[in-house]
Amino acid sequence: TVYFLMRLLLLAAKCGVHPPRTRQQKQQKQQQRLSHRQSTQFCSAFSSSSQNNNGENFIQIGRIKRRHHQRVCAASESNTTNKKNNNTDDDDEMMMKSKKKSPKQPKVPKLEDVVFEYLNESTKFVVSATAMVFLVFHPTVETCWCLLGSIVNSVNGKLLKRMLNHSRPDGAKKVDPGMPSSHATSLSYLSWYAALAFAFEPNAFGLATFVTRTLAFGLVSLGAFLAYLRVKLGFHTWPQVYVGYGLGSSTALVWILFGKGYLIQHLARHPERLKNLHACLVVAIGLFALSAIKWVKELVKSSSSKSKKQSA
């Protein structure tokens, strides 16, 4: 019993020290056992033949030798094929690693994407500068009311965006909420307000009716195209642009109807109250200036990151 227990302890120690055998090691162990068994059979047959000098024992010994030789050859061939397969697998792994490590060539952007991205980035600056120039050279009540409504419309869009907290599409450059689209909200307001103003005054600025209608159609189409670019470039989804466009156009309709129907007539009867409109517009322009500074910072940051990527 002591000897048996010692053997068990030795076996347990061996199993704990040595790692588990692989499939190939198990096959090699089986082949070693088979060759050992065949060698024992050969030795027993040879001993029996030496005791009984008969021809049949020598024939049996020859058969055992032949079988043993065939099995040894088959085992060696299987080992060589396994080694070749392992070598080919290692070569494939090395090729895959080298392909992964090889640096990827930068994708060359298409001319269409470059033009669209430039239009998208320059839209807010061009539209804001145009509105300010129009205010300087045409400082009427209608202009002040339109620009005040534009800033109120943008603030409403920002508040709604924070309330809904709808994420942008995957891969978008910005991480802030995207419902509704601020670009679509502002562009739809300005384009539809201008189109409705031309509809109320077909001969504005001394232009013919055909010209004002063409301008109205062109402004609405341009605003819709610039809003479409937000989806094309991956900044927003279609529902986000739809909501922003609907918010801006509906705000423009309500704002111009209220201005034409009540405010202009009220200020015509009480001109001393016009300073209140100007004060509200100055405050709104100050708030807009803060967002414009943020735009400039974002533009500088994006241009610096692009230059770093190109240099790298």
Side-chain angles (χ1 to χ4, degrees), residues 22-55:
T22 60
R23 192 171 183 180
Q24 188 175 3
Q25 290 176 350
K26 289 180 180 180
Q27 290 178 357
Q28 291 177 357
K29 192 69 176 178
Q30 289 177 359
Q31 290 172 2
Q32 290 175 1
R33 289 175 181 173
L34 182 62
S35 61
H36 179 68
R37 192 181 303 157
Q38 290 172 356
S39 62
T40 53
Q41 289 178 0
F42 173 73
C43 292
S44 63
F46 182 76
S47 61
S48 63
S49 65
S50 61
Q51 292 176 2
N52 304 319
N53 293 323
N54 296 326

PDB file of all heavy atoms in Angstrom, residues 22-55:
ATOM      1  N   THR A  22      -0.451  17.797 -26.556  1.00  0.00           N
ATOM      2  CA  THR A  22      -1.185  18.198 -27.751  1.00  0.00           C
ATOM      3  C   THR A  22      -1.604  16.961 -28.534  1.00  0.00           C
ATOM      4  O   THR A  22      -1.239  15.830 -28.197  1.00  0.00           O
ATOM      5  CB  THR A  22      -0.326  19.113 -28.612  1.00  0.00           C
ATOM      6  OG1 THR A  22       0.859  18.404 -29.006  1.00  0.00           O
ATOM      7  CG2 THR A  22       0.058  20.383 -27.848  1.00  0.00           C
ATOM      8  N   ARG A  23      -2.326  17.206 -29.587  1.00  0.00           N
ATOM      9  CA  ARG A  23      -2.802  16.085 -30.405  1.00  0.00           C
ATOM     10  C   ARG A  23      -1.630  15.375 -31.083  1.00  0.00           C
ATOM     11  O   ARG A  23      -1.602  14.139 -31.182  1.00  0.00           O
ATOM     12  CB  ARG A  23      -3.773  16.628 -31.444  1.00  0.00           C
ATOM     13  CG  ARG A  23      -4.568  15.576 -32.162  1.00  0.00           C
ATOM     14  CD  ARG A  23      -5.651  16.230 -33.001  1.00  0.00           C
ATOM     15  NE  ARG A  23      -6.467  15.233 -33.656  1.00  0.00           N
ATOM     16  CZ  ARG A  23      -7.488  15.515 -34.445  1.00  0.00           C
ATOM     17  NH1 ARG A  23      -7.813  16.772 -34.651  1.00  0.00           N
ATOM     18  NH2 ARG A  23      -8.179  14.560 -35.018  1.00  0.00           N
ATOM     19  N   GLN A  24      -0.663  16.163 -31.547  1.00  0.00           N
ATOM     20  CA  GLN A  24       0.487  15.568 -32.221  1.00  0.00           C
ATOM     21  C   GLN A  24       1.335  14.747 -31.249  1.00  0.00           C
ATOM     22  O   GLN A  24       1.822  13.660 -31.590  1.00  0.00           O
ATOM     23  CB  GLN A  24       1.326  16.681 -32.835  1.00  0.00           C
ATOM     24  CG  GLN A  24       2.449  16.181 -33.736  1.00  0.00           C
ATOM     25  CD  GLN A  24       3.147  17.328 -34.408  1.00  0.00           C
ATOM     26  OE1 GLN A  24       2.824  18.472 -34.151  1.00  0.00           O
ATOM     27  NE2 GLN A  24       4.112  17.028 -35.263  1.00  0.00           N
ATOM     28  N   GLN A  25       1.496  15.208 -30.012  1.00  0.00           N
ATOM     29  CA  GLN A  25       2.265  14.457 -29.013  1.00  0.00           C
ATOM     30  C   GLN A  25       1.571  13.148 -28.657  1.00  0.00           C
ATOM     31  O   GLN A  25       2.220  12.118 -28.442  1.00  0.00           O
ATOM     32  CB  GLN A  25       2.445  15.313 -27.760  1.00  0.00           C
ATOM     33  CG  GLN A  25       3.384  16.483 -27.969  1.00  0.00           C
ATOM     34  CD  GLN A  25       3.468  17.380 -26.746  1.00  0.00           C
ATOM     35  OE1 GLN A  25       2.677  17.205 -25.812  1.00  0.00           O
ATOM     36  NE2 GLN A  25       4.402  18.326 -26.754  1.00  0.00           N
ATOM     37  N   LYS A  26       0.235  13.185 -28.586  1.00  0.00           N
ATOM     38  CA  LYS A  26      -0.502  11.953 -28.315  1.00  0.00           C
ATOM     39  C   LYS A  26      -0.299  10.926 -29.426  1.00  0.00           C
ATOM     40  O   LYS A  26      -0.124   9.725 -29.180  1.00  0.00           O
ATOM     41  CB  LYS A  26      -1.982  12.250 -28.147  1.00  0.00           C
ATOM     42  CG  LYS A  26      -2.310  13.000 -26.856  1.00  0.00           C
ATOM     43  CD  LYS A  26      -3.802  13.271 -26.751  1.00  0.00           C
ATOM     44  CE  LYS A  26      -4.140  14.015 -25.456  1.00  0.00           C
ATOM     45  NZ  LYS A  26      -5.593  14.294 -25.349  1.00  0.00           N
ATOM     46  N   GLN A  27      -0.321  11.406 -30.690  1.00  0.00           N
ATOM     47  CA  GLN A  27      -0.100  10.477 -31.804  1.00  0.00           C
ATOM     48  C   GLN A  27       1.294   9.877 -31.750  1.00  0.00           C
ATOM     49  O   GLN A  27       1.484   8.673 -31.997  1.00  0.00           O
ATOM     50  CB  GLN A  27      -0.312  11.216 -33.124  1.00  0.00           C
ATOM     51  CG  GLN A  27      -1.775  11.589 -33.383  1.00  0.00           C
ATOM     52  CD  GLN A  27      -1.934  12.368 -34.669  1.00  0.00           C
ATOM     53  OE1 GLN A  27      -0.942  12.671 -35.345  1.00  0.00           O
ATOM     54  NE2 GLN A  27      -3.186  12.688 -35.018  1.00  0.00           N
ATOM     55  N   GLN A  28       2.294  10.719 -31.438  1.00  0.00           N
ATOM     56  CA  GLN A  28       3.651  10.185 -31.339  1.00  0.00           C
ATOM     57  C   GLN A  28       3.776   9.164 -30.215  1.00  0.00           C
ATOM     58  O   GLN A  28       4.454   8.138 -30.357  1.00  0.00           O
ATOM     59  CB  GLN A  28       4.628  11.334 -31.099  1.00  0.00           C
ATOM     60  CG  GLN A  28       4.793  12.262 -32.287  1.00  0.00           C
ATOM     61  CD  GLN A  28       5.700  13.419 -31.984  1.00  0.00           C
ATOM     62  OE1 GLN A  28       6.172  13.554 -30.859  1.00  0.00           O
ATOM     63  NE2 GLN A  28       5.948  14.265 -32.999  1.00  0.00           N
ATOM     64  N   LYS A  29       3.076   9.402 -29.086  1.00  0.00           N
ATOM     65  CA  LYS A  29       3.124   8.451 -27.986  1.00  0.00           C
ATOM     66  C   LYS A  29       2.491   7.118 -28.373  1.00  0.00           C
ATOM     67  O   LYS A  29       3.003   6.027 -28.042  1.00  0.00           O
ATOM     68  CB  LYS A  29       2.401   9.051 -26.767  1.00  0.00           C
ATOM     69  CG  LYS A  29       2.631   8.298 -25.479  1.00  0.00           C
ATOM     70  CD  LYS A  29       4.051   8.436 -24.998  1.00  0.00           C
ATOM     71  CE  LYS A  29       4.255   7.746 -23.645  1.00  0.00           C
ATOM     72  NZ  LYS A  29       5.647   7.828 -23.201  1.00  0.00           N
ATOM     73  N   GLN A  30       1.370   7.198 -29.101  1.00  0.00           N
ATOM     74  CA  GLN A  30       0.733   5.956 -29.562  1.00  0.00           C
ATOM     75  C   GLN A  30       1.641   5.184 -30.504  1.00  0.00           C
ATOM     76  O   GLN A  30       1.713   3.947 -30.449  1.00  0.00           O
ATOM     77  CB  GLN A  30      -0.595   6.295 -30.230  1.00  0.00           C
ATOM     78  CG  GLN A  30      -1.677   6.763 -29.260  1.00  0.00           C
ATOM     79  CD  GLN A  30      -2.949   7.152 -29.976  1.00  0.00           C
ATOM     80  OE1 GLN A  30      -3.010   7.086 -31.206  1.00  0.00           O
ATOM     81  NE2 GLN A  30      -3.956   7.563 -29.206  1.00  0.00           N
ATOM     82  N   GLN A  31       2.346   5.909 -31.414  1.00  0.00           N
ATOM     83  CA  GLN A  31       3.250   5.227 -32.340  1.00  0.00           C
ATOM     84  C   GLN A  31       4.411   4.575 -31.578  1.00  0.00           C
ATOM     85  O   GLN A  31       4.845   3.473 -31.928  1.00  0.00           O
ATOM     86  CB  GLN A  31       3.780   6.233 -33.351  1.00  0.00           C
ATOM     87  CG  GLN A  31       2.711   6.715 -34.332  1.00  0.00           C
ATOM     88  CD  GLN A  31       3.214   7.847 -35.198  1.00  0.00           C
ATOM     89  OE1 GLN A  31       4.370   8.241 -35.078  1.00  0.00           O
ATOM     90  NE2 GLN A  31       2.334   8.348 -36.054  1.00  0.00           N
ATOM     91  N   GLN A  32       4.922   5.232 -30.534  1.00  0.00           N
ATOM     92  CA  GLN A  32       5.991   4.632 -29.739  1.00  0.00           C
ATOM     93  C   GLN A  32       5.516   3.363 -29.036  1.00  0.00           C
ATOM     94  O   GLN A  32       6.240   2.353 -28.982  1.00  0.00           O
ATOM     95  CB  GLN A  32       6.496   5.645 -28.707  1.00  0.00           C
ATOM     96  CG  GLN A  32       7.265   6.802 -29.314  1.00  0.00           C
ATOM     97  CD  GLN A  32       7.650   7.832 -28.279  1.00  0.00           C
ATOM     98  OE1 GLN A  32       7.352   7.670 -27.098  1.00  0.00           O
ATOM     99  NE2 GLN A  32       8.326   8.908 -28.733  1.00  0.00           N
ATOM    100  N   ARG A  33       4.286   3.416 -28.499  1.00  0.00           N
ATOM    101  CA  ARG A  33       3.746   2.218 -27.850  1.00  0.00           C
ATOM    102  C   ARG A  33       3.585   1.079 -28.849  1.00  0.00           C
ATOM    103  O   ARG A  33       3.881  -0.093 -28.550  1.00  0.00           O
ATOM    104  CB  ARG A  33       2.412   2.537 -27.201  1.00  0.00           C
ATOM    105  CG  ARG A  33       2.516   3.418 -25.956  1.00  0.00           C
ATOM    106  CD  ARG A  33       1.148   3.793 -25.441  1.00  0.00           C
ATOM    107  NE  ARG A  33       1.245   4.646 -24.256  1.00  0.00           N
ATOM    108  CZ  ARG A  33       0.198   5.239 -23.683  1.00  0.00           C
ATOM    109  NH1 ARG A  33      -1.018   5.062 -24.197  1.00  0.00           N
ATOM    110  NH2 ARG A  33       0.368   6.003 -22.626  1.00  0.00           N
ATOM    111  N   LEU A  34       3.095   1.434 -30.065  1.00  0.00           N
ATOM    112  CA  LEU A  34       2.900   0.395 -31.084  1.00  0.00           C
ATOM    113  C   LEU A  34       4.229  -0.223 -31.495  1.00  0.00           C
ATOM    114  O   LEU A  34       4.347  -1.455 -31.636  1.00  0.00           O
ATOM    115  CB  LEU A  34       2.195   1.016 -32.291  1.00  0.00           C
ATOM    116  CG  LEU A  34       1.858   0.077 -33.444  1.00  0.00           C
ATOM    117  CD1 LEU A  34       0.880  -1.017 -32.983  1.00  0.00           C
ATOM    118  CD2 LEU A  34       1.244   0.851 -34.602  1.00  0.00           C
ATOM    119  N   SER A  35       5.251   0.621 -31.692  1.00  0.00           N
ATOM    120  CA  SER A  35       6.566   0.083 -32.067  1.00  0.00           C
ATOM    121  C   SER A  35       7.159  -0.767 -30.943  1.00  0.00           C
ATOM    122  O   SER A  35       7.799  -1.807 -31.188  1.00  0.00           O
ATOM    123  CB  SER A  35       7.512   1.226 -32.414  1.00  0.00           C
ATOM    124  OG  SER A  35       7.678   2.065 -31.284  1.00  0.00           O
ATOM    125  N   HIS A  36       6.932  -0.355 -29.677  1.00  0.00           N
ATOM    126  CA  HIS A  36       7.424  -1.151 -28.543  1.00  0.00           C
ATOM    127  C   HIS A  36       6.725  -2.500 -28.493  1.00  0.00           C
ATOM    128  O   HIS A  36       7.360  -3.537 -28.252  1.00  0.00           O
ATOM    129  CB  HIS A  36       7.187  -0.366 -27.246  1.00  0.00           C
ATOM    130  CG  HIS A  36       7.630  -1.106 -26.018  1.00  0.00           C
ATOM    131  ND1 HIS A  36       8.965  -1.359 -25.740  1.00  0.00           N
ATOM    132  CD2 HIS A  36       6.902  -1.661 -24.999  1.00  0.00           C
ATOM    133  CE1 HIS A  36       9.048  -2.022 -24.618  1.00  0.00           C
ATOM    134  NE2 HIS A  36       7.820  -2.232 -24.133  1.00  0.00           N
ATOM    135  N   ARG A  37       5.412  -2.496 -28.760  1.00  0.00           N
ATOM    136  CA  ARG A  37       4.673  -3.757 -28.765  1.00  0.00           C
ATOM    137  C   ARG A  37       5.169  -4.683 -29.868  1.00  0.00           C
ATOM    138  O   ARG A  37       5.315  -5.894 -29.694  1.00  0.00           O
ATOM    139  CB  ARG A  37       3.190  -3.451 -28.935  1.00  0.00           C
ATOM    140  CG  ARG A  37       2.271  -4.645 -28.663  1.00  0.00           C
ATOM    141  CD  ARG A  37       0.821  -4.238 -28.895  1.00  0.00           C
ATOM    142  NE  ARG A  37       0.496  -3.085 -28.050  1.00  0.00           N
ATOM    143  CZ  ARG A  37      -0.481  -2.243 -28.324  1.00  0.00           C
ATOM    144  NH1 ARG A  37      -1.180  -2.387 -29.451  1.00  0.00           N
ATOM    145  NH2 ARG A  37      -0.738  -1.242 -27.506  1.00  0.00           N
ATOM    146  N   GLN A  38       5.432  -4.075 -31.051  1.00  0.00           N
ATOM    147  CA  GLN A  38       5.918  -4.903 -32.168  1.00  0.00           C
ATOM    148  C   GLN A  38       7.301  -5.462 -31.879  1.00  0.00           C
ATOM    149  O   GLN A  38       7.619  -6.595 -32.240  1.00  0.00           O
ATOM    150  CB  GLN A  38       5.937  -4.056 -33.431  1.00  0.00           C
ATOM    151  CG  GLN A  38       4.537  -3.722 -33.945  1.00  0.00           C
ATOM    152  CD  GLN A  38       4.583  -2.728 -35.084  1.00  0.00           C
ATOM    153  OE1 GLN A  38       5.670  -2.248 -35.416  1.00  0.00           O
ATOM    154  NE2 GLN A  38       3.429  -2.456 -35.680  1.00  0.00           N
ATOM    155  N   SER A  39       8.129  -4.624 -31.227  1.00  0.00           N
ATOM    156  CA  SER A  39       9.476  -5.125 -30.907  1.00  0.00           C
ATOM    157  C   SER A  39       9.412  -6.274 -29.895  1.00  0.00           C
ATOM    158  O   SER A  39      10.174  -7.240 -29.975  1.00  0.00           O
ATOM    159  CB  SER A  39      10.333  -3.987 -30.360  1.00  0.00           C
ATOM    160  OG  SER A  39       9.769  -3.481 -29.166  1.00  0.00           O
ATOM    161  N   THR A  40       8.476  -6.174 -28.946  1.00  0.00           N
ATOM    162  CA  THR A  40       8.329  -7.273 -27.980  1.00  0.00           C
ATOM    163  C   THR A  40       7.836  -8.534 -28.676  1.00  0.00           C
ATOM    164  O   THR A  40       8.290  -9.646 -28.375  1.00  0.00           O
ATOM    165  CB  THR A  40       7.354  -6.864 -26.878  1.00  0.00           C
ATOM    166  OG1 THR A  40       6.131  -6.417 -27.459  1.00  0.00           O
ATOM    167  CG2 THR A  40       7.944  -5.755 -26.012  1.00  0.00           C
ATOM    168  N   GLN A  41       6.891  -8.342 -29.643  1.00  0.00           N
ATOM    169  CA  GLN A  41       6.428  -9.517 -30.402  1.00  0.00           C
ATOM    170  C   GLN A  41       7.582 -10.136 -31.180  1.00  0.00           C
ATOM    171  O   GLN A  41       7.728 -11.359 -31.263  1.00  0.00           O
ATOM    172  CB  GLN A  41       5.303  -9.105 -31.353  1.00  0.00           C
ATOM    173  CG  GLN A  41       3.997  -8.760 -30.646  1.00  0.00           C
ATOM    174  CD  GLN A  41       2.940  -8.316 -31.630  1.00  0.00           C
ATOM    175  OE1 GLN A  41       3.198  -8.279 -32.831  1.00  0.00           O
ATOM    176  NE2 GLN A  41       1.757  -7.981 -31.109  1.00  0.00           N
ATOM    177  N   PHE A  42       8.427  -9.259 -31.750  1.00  0.00           N
ATOM    178  CA  PHE A  42       9.569  -9.770 -32.518  1.00  0.00           C
ATOM    179  C   PHE A  42      10.539 -10.539 -31.624  1.00  0.00           C
ATOM    180  O   PHE A  42      11.029 -11.612 -31.984  1.00  0.00           O
ATOM    181  CB  PHE A  42      10.271  -8.591 -33.196  1.00  0.00           C
ATOM    182  CG  PHE A  42      11.546  -8.967 -33.878  1.00  0.00           C
ATOM    183  CD1 PHE A  42      11.539  -9.682 -35.072  1.00  0.00           C
ATOM    184  CD2 PHE A  42      12.770  -8.628 -33.312  1.00  0.00           C
ATOM    185  CE1 PHE A  42      12.712 -10.019 -35.690  1.00  0.00           C
ATOM    186  CE2 PHE A  42      13.948  -8.981 -33.926  1.00  0.00           C
ATOM    187  CZ  PHE A  42      13.931  -9.668 -35.123  1.00  0.00           C
ATOM    188  N   CYS A  43      10.785 -10.007 -30.446  1.00  0.00           N
ATOM    189  CA  CYS A  43      11.711 -10.686 -29.520  1.00  0.00           C
ATOM    190  C   CYS A  43      11.152 -12.029 -29.060  1.00  0.00           C
ATOM    191  O   CYS A  43      11.872 -13.029 -28.967  1.00  0.00           O
ATOM    192  CB  CYS A  43      11.998  -9.790 -28.322  1.00  0.00           C
ATOM    193  SG  CYS A  43      12.958  -8.315 -28.733  1.00  0.00           S
ATOM    194  N   SER A  44       9.850 -12.056 -28.784  1.00  0.00           N
ATOM    195  CA  SER A  44       9.255 -13.323 -28.350  1.00  0.00           C
ATOM    196  C   SER A  44       9.283 -14.346 -29.474  1.00  0.00           C
ATOM    197  O   SER A  44       9.559 -15.536 -29.259  1.00  0.00           O
ATOM    198  CB  SER A  44       7.820 -13.080 -27.875  1.00  0.00           C
ATOM    199  OG  SER A  44       7.041 -12.598 -28.942  1.00  0.00           O
ATOM    200  N   ALA A  45       9.003 -13.887 -30.700  1.00  0.00           N
ATOM    201  CA  ALA A  45       9.038 -14.820 -31.828  1.00  0.00           C
ATOM    202  C   ALA A  45      10.449 -15.327 -32.064  1.00  0.00           C
ATOM    203  O   ALA A  45      10.675 -16.489 -32.386  1.00  0.00           O
ATOM    204  CB  ALA A  45       8.497 -14.122 -33.082  1.00  0.00           C
ATOM    205  N   PHE A  46      11.442 -14.431 -31.898  1.00  0.00           N
ATOM    206  CA  PHE A  46      12.823 -14.848 -32.115  1.00  0.00           C
ATOM    207  C   PHE A  46      13.274 -15.837 -31.052  1.00  0.00           C
ATOM    208  O   PHE A  46      13.971 -16.816 -31.337  1.00  0.00           O
ATOM    209  CB  PHE A  46      13.727 -13.615 -32.099  1.00  0.00           C
ATOM    210  CG  PHE A  46      15.170 -13.925 -32.368  1.00  0.00           C
ATOM    211  CD1 PHE A  46      15.593 -14.204 -33.670  1.00  0.00           C
ATOM    212  CD2 PHE A  46      16.095 -13.961 -31.338  1.00  0.00           C
ATOM    213  CE1 PHE A  46      16.909 -14.500 -33.904  1.00  0.00           C
ATOM    214  CE2 PHE A  46      17.406 -14.259 -31.589  1.00  0.00           C
ATOM    215  CZ  PHE A  46      17.833 -14.524 -32.873  1.00  0.00           C
ATOM    216  N   SER A  47      12.839 -15.618 -29.822  1.00  0.00           N
ATOM    217  CA  SER A  47      13.216 -16.551 -28.763  1.00  0.00           C
ATOM    218  C   SER A  47      12.574 -17.917 -28.976  1.00  0.00           C
ATOM    219  O   SER A  47      13.192 -18.967 -28.783  1.00  0.00           O
ATOM    220  CB  SER A  47      12.808 -15.993 -27.397  1.00  0.00           C
ATOM    221  OG  SER A  47      11.410 -15.809 -27.348  1.00  0.00           O
ATOM    222  N   SER A  48      11.303 -17.886 -29.423  1.00  0.00           N
ATOM    223  CA  SER A  48      10.635 -19.161 -29.692  1.00  0.00           C
ATOM    224  C   SER A  48      11.277 -19.872 -30.870  1.00  0.00           C
ATOM    225  O   SER A  48      11.365 -21.091 -30.905  1.00  0.00           O
ATOM    226  CB  SER A  48       9.142 -18.934 -29.949  1.00  0.00           C
ATOM    227  OG  SER A  48       8.980 -18.137 -31.110  1.00  0.00           O
ATOM    228  N   SER A  49      11.762 -19.137 -31.860  1.00  0.00           N
ATOM    229  CA  SER A  49      12.407 -19.752 -33.021  1.00  0.00           C
ATOM    230  C   SER A  49      13.759 -20.346 -32.636  1.00  0.00           C
ATOM    231  O   SER A  49      14.195 -21.340 -33.187  1.00  0.00           O
ATOM    232  CB  SER A  49      12.577 -18.735 -34.143  1.00  0.00           C
ATOM    233  OG  SER A  49      13.462 -17.717 -33.723  1.00  0.00           O
ATOM    234  N   SER A  50      14.417 -19.683 -31.684  1.00  0.00           N
ATOM    235  CA  SER A  50      15.712 -20.232 -31.254  1.00  0.00           C
ATOM    236  C   SER A  50      15.531 -21.534 -30.480  1.00  0.00           C
ATOM    237  O   SER A  50      16.378 -22.410 -30.521  1.00  0.00           O
ATOM    238  CB  SER A  50      16.448 -19.212 -30.389  1.00  0.00           C
ATOM    239  OG  SER A  50      15.669 -18.917 -29.233  1.00  0.00           O
ATOM    240  N   GLN A  51      14.400 -21.625 -29.785  1.00  0.00           N
ATOM    241  CA  GLN A  51      14.125 -22.866 -29.072  1.00  0.00           C
ATOM    242  C   GLN A  51      13.643 -23.943 -30.025  1.00  0.00           C
ATOM    243  O   GLN A  51      14.051 -25.101 -29.953  1.00  0.00           O
ATOM    244  CB  GLN A  51      13.088 -22.608 -27.975  1.00  0.00           C
ATOM    245  CG  GLN A  51      13.616 -21.720 -26.851  1.00  0.00           C
ATOM    246  CD  GLN A  51      12.556 -21.389 -25.835  1.00  0.00           C
ATOM    247  OE1 GLN A  51      11.420 -21.867 -25.972  1.00  0.00           O
ATOM    248  NE2 GLN A  51      12.929 -20.593 -24.821  1.00  0.00           N
ATOM    249  N   ASN A  52      12.777 -23.590 -30.943  1.00  0.00           N
ATOM    250  CA  ASN A  52      12.233 -24.543 -31.936  1.00  0.00           C
ATOM    251  C   ASN A  52      12.779 -24.149 -33.293  1.00  0.00           C
ATOM    252  O   ASN A  52      12.324 -23.163 -33.873  1.00  0.00           O
ATOM    253  CB  ASN A  52      10.705 -24.516 -31.948  1.00  0.00           C
ATOM    254  CG  ASN A  52      10.131 -24.798 -30.563  1.00  0.00           C
ATOM    255  OD1 ASN A  52      10.637 -25.670 -29.843  1.00  0.00           O
ATOM    256  ND2 ASN A  52       9.102 -24.056 -30.197  1.00  0.00           N
ATOM    257  N   ASN A  53      13.738 -24.821 -33.790  1.00  0.00           N
ATOM    258  CA  ASN A  53      14.357 -24.460 -35.066  1.00  0.00           C
ATOM    259  C   ASN A  53      13.463 -24.924 -36.209  1.00  0.00           C
ATOM    260  O   ASN A  53      13.763 -25.867 -36.920  1.00  0.00           O
ATOM    261  CB  ASN A  53      15.739 -25.116 -35.181  1.00  0.00           C
ATOM    262  CG  ASN A  53      16.696 -24.536 -34.156  1.00  0.00           C
ATOM    263  OD1 ASN A  53      16.638 -23.347 -33.892  1.00  0.00           O
ATOM    264  ND2 ASN A  53      17.543 -25.387 -33.589  1.00  0.00           N
ATOM    265  N   ASN A  54      12.346 -24.214 -36.389  1.00  0.00           N
ATOM    266  CA  ASN A  54      11.409 -24.523 -37.457  1.00  0.00           C
ATOM    267  C   ASN A  54      11.406 -23.375 -38.456  1.00  0.00           C
ATOM    268  O   ASN A  54      11.620 -22.205 -38.120  1.00  0.00           O
ATOM    269  CB  ASN A  54       9.997 -24.739 -36.917  1.00  0.00           C
ATOM    270  CG  ASN A  54       9.936 -25.956 -35.988  1.00  0.00           C
ATOM    271  OD1 ASN A  54      10.654 -26.951 -36.205  1.00  0.00           O
ATOM    272  ND2 ASN A  54       9.119 -25.873 -34.955  1.00  0.00           N
ATOM    273  N   GLY A  55      11.081 -23.674 -39.738  1.00  0.00           N
ATOM    274  CA  GLY A  55      11.036 -22.647 -40.798  1.00  0.00           C
ATOM    275  C   GLY A  55       9.863 -21.712 -40.659  1.00  0.00           C
ATOM    276  O   GLY A  55       9.911 -20.555 -41.087  1.00  0.00           O
TER     277      GLY A  55
END
